[in-house]
């Protein structure tokens, strides 16, 4: 796991140390080498997301829309678009039409504190199943493999 934020990688040292493993570093130029990305920023903060590292890579959207905690977005309030479609509209123009942005949806239906307590080994009778969705078979397989590696079926 490599982390990134808007203030910069130097501000993530304490978090990375606390998460290690699976966190292995802070995102800087090394993020460009990663093959799989997750966008986990509030929608109101999506506009400054650097899109160049996303070019041609599948991006898994794990956002949910919480207007009481975020900002009201008219297109989401009137249900004329989805969270993932809104994210694509923010990221794709800057990344270009061939950018593989927001090609899937996963991990948005599990409360963050449960992610650490519910994982089970493969084959366990109480292993949780998390839904995924997407339009790219390779991205969905990568997400399935990732979920398996952290203790969930897809």
């Amino acid at each position: 796991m490599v982390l990134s934020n808007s203030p910069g990688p130097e501000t993530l040292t304490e978090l990375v140390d606390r998460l290690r493993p699976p966190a292995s570093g802070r995102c800087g130029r090394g993020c460009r080498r990663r093959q799989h990305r997750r966008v986990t920023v509030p929608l109101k903060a999506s506009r400054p997301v650097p899109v160049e590292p996303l070019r041609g890579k599948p991006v898994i959207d794990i956002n949910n829309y919480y207007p009481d905690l975020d900002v009201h977005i008219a297109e989401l309030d009137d249900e004329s678009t989805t969270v993932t479609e809104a994210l694509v509209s923010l990221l794709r123009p800057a990344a270009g039409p061939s950018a593989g942005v927001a090609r899937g949806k996963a991990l948005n239906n599990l409360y963050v504190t449960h992610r650490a307590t519910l994982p089970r080994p493969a084959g366990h009778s109480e292993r949780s199943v998390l839904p995924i969705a997407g339009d790219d078979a390779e991205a969905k397989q990568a997400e399935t493999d990732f979920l398996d590696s952290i203790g969930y079926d897809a």
Side-chain angles (χ1 to χ4, degrees):
M1 176 189 320
V2 178
L3 306 173
S4 177
N5 67 358
S6 56
E10 65 282 352
T11 64
L12 294 169
T13 303
E14 183 180 327
L15 178 60
V16 169
D17 290 344
R18 212 172 14 159
L19 292 174
R20 200 174 303 232
S24 62
R26 294 174 309 278
C27 186
R29 293 176 192 222
C31 273
R32 299 184 198 295
R33 294 190 305 266
R34 304 294 180 235
Q35 295 302 310
H36 204 67
R37 286 134 165 79
R38 280 167 193 78
V39 175
T40 60
V41 297
L43 291 174
K44 69 180 176 185
S46 295
R47 292 192 192 280
V49 170
V51 296
E52 184 56 36
L54 306 178
R55 188 180 303 279
K57 306 287 193 243
V59 174
I60 304 301
D61 171 21
I62 68 171
N63 291 304
N64 287 311
Y65 178 51
Y66 298 107
D68 294 339
L69 302 175
D70 207 341
V71 295
H72 281 275
I73 299 171
E75 299 88 304
L76 295 175
D77 289 339
D78 69 15
E79 298 180 356
S80 63
T81 193
T82 67
V83 172
T84 300
E85 289 169 337
L87 183 64
V88 167
S89 72
L90 292 172
L91 298 179
R92 183 151 290 150
S98 64
V101 297
R103 299 301 295 272
K105 186 88 168 173
L107 278 174
N108 67 312
N109 64 323
L110 183 64
Y111 193 66
V112 67
T113 58
H114 294 148
R115 290 183 194 159
T117 60
L118 294 178
R120 303 286 188 270
H124 192 284
S125 64
E126 294 180 10
R127 184 161 160 140
S128 296
V129 178
L130 302 179
I132 62 172
D135 63 357
D136 181 282
E138 188 176 325
K140 288 194 300 187
Q141 184 58 55
E143 190 64 14
T144 297
D145 295 344
F146 171 74
L147 290 176
D148 181 56
S149 76
I150 64 169
Y152 296 96
D153 286 336

